[in-house]
């Protein structure tokens, strides 16, 4: 569009994993590896980085599932259920293999649940701010999955205090770059 190559998919995942790729790029530059997919070294790094990034996202999803479960049950049960989540669902089989949008959706959802649970134990404006930031990313990472935010938004609206403003302000702040990107390049 207008001389730019644009992704058919939302750019939240690529933006959030950029620091990992910056390290790989530094390695490539320091070792004088040409940026050419036909170069075996560069091609290998591209494949490794995709798998590494998606595996980290899946691993962090499992960590937040474990932390959430630990808030709800004992450590043994939390460990068993987390292992089932990590290895007996599509988390390991699919989400950890490539950079799909679903992997980040799992992570954002697990993080959101954890933040709600710890906020219920000890009310904190920071929990709500983090929840707002994650929700903003969530919306633009895979828009159809935004329906999963309905319980979170309901939870926030039941607070009836200034934390509602914090949540929606930080949601707007974290989603603003992606909103502006879409308006600028796609017109909607």
């Amino acid at each position: 569009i207008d001389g730019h190559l644009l992704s058919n998919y939302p750019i939240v995942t690529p933006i959030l994993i950029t620091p990992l790729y910056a390290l790989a790029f530094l390695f490539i530059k320091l070792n004088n590896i040409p940026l050419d997919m036909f170069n075996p070294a560069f091609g290998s790094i591209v494949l490794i980085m995709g798998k590494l990034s998606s595996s980290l996202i899946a691993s962090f999803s499992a960590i937040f599932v474990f932390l959430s479960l630990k808030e709800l049950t004992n450590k043994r049960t939390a460990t068993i259920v987390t292992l089932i989540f990590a290895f007996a669902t599509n988390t390991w089989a699919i989400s950890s293999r490539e950079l799909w949008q679903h992997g980040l959706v799992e992570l954002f959802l697990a993080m959101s649940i954890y933040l709600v649970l710890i906020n219920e134990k000890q009310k904190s404006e920071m929990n709500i701010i983090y929840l707002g930031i994650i929700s903003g990313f969530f919306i633009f990472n895979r828009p159809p999955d935004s329906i999963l935010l309905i319980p979170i938004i309901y939870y926030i609206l039941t607070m009836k205090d200034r934390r509602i403003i914090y949540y929606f302000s930080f949601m707007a702040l974290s989603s603003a770059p992606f909103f502006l990107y879409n308006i600028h390049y796609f017109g909607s």
Side-chain angles (χ1 to χ4, degrees):
I1 297 175
D2 294 329
H4 296 278
L5 292 174
L6 301 172
S7 175
N8 288 332
Y9 299 97
I11 61 167
V12 175
T13 301
I15 295 296
L16 294 181
I17 63 169
T18 294
L20 285 174
Y21 278 81
L23 292 173
F25 182 74
L26 183 62
F27 175 81
I28 287 167
K29 284 300 181 187
L30 289 173
N31 290 289
N32 296 317
I33 299 170
L35 299 176
D36 178 3
M37 281 304 287
F38 295 108
N39 179 293
F42 181 75
S44 295
I45 291 169
V46 169
L47 290 174
I48 289 167
M49 288 307 298
K51 298 222 182 282
L52 175 67
S53 301
S54 58
S55 293
L56 283 172
I57 291 169
S59 297
F60 279 112
S61 298
I63 288 168
F64 279 98
V65 165
F66 173 76
L67 292 172
S68 297
L69 289 166
K70 209 170 74 159
E71 294 295 321
L72 297 170
T73 187
N74 61 57
K75 193 174 183 178
R76 183 177 186 272
T77 302
T79 301
I80 292 167
V81 174
T82 300
L83 289 171
I84 292 169
F85 165 77
F87 300 113
T89 67
N90 286 336
T91 298
W92 189 255
I94 294 174
S95 296
S96 73
R97 311 273 305 151
E98 291 295 333
L99 284 169
W100 304 106
Q101 296 163 310
H102 303 73
L104 210 50
V105 167
E106 285 181 347
L107 176 57
F108 289 154
L109 194 55
M111 291 170 80
S112 297
I113 291 168
Y114 176 68
L115 285 168
V116 168
L117 290 171
I118 62 170
N119 192 66
E120 280 302 297
K121 283 194 171 184
Q122 184 173 358
K123 306 287 186 222
S124 164
E125 291 173 353
M126 289 309 296
N127 292 337
I128 303 307
I129 288 170
Y130 294 143
L131 200 54
I133 292 168
I134 291 166
S135 296
F137 290 152
F138 198 106
I139 291 167
F140 281 90
N141 180 62
R142 192 165 192 284
D145 290 345
S146 297
I147 195 165
L148 298 172
L149 288 177
I150 291 172
I152 302 289
I153 292 171
Y154 177 78
Y155 171 74
I156 296 296
L157 292 175
T158 61
M159 292 179 179
K160 297 183 172 124
D161 61 21
R162 69 176 182 234
R163 290 177 294 169
I164 295 171
I165 295 167
Y166 291 149
Y167 174 80
F168 286 106
S169 296
F170 280 89
M171 177 196 278
L173 207 68
S174 67
S175 65
F178 305 106
F179 175 79
L180 294 172
Y181 170 86
N182 285 339
I183 294 297
H184 178 77
Y185 286 109
F186 300 110
S188 67

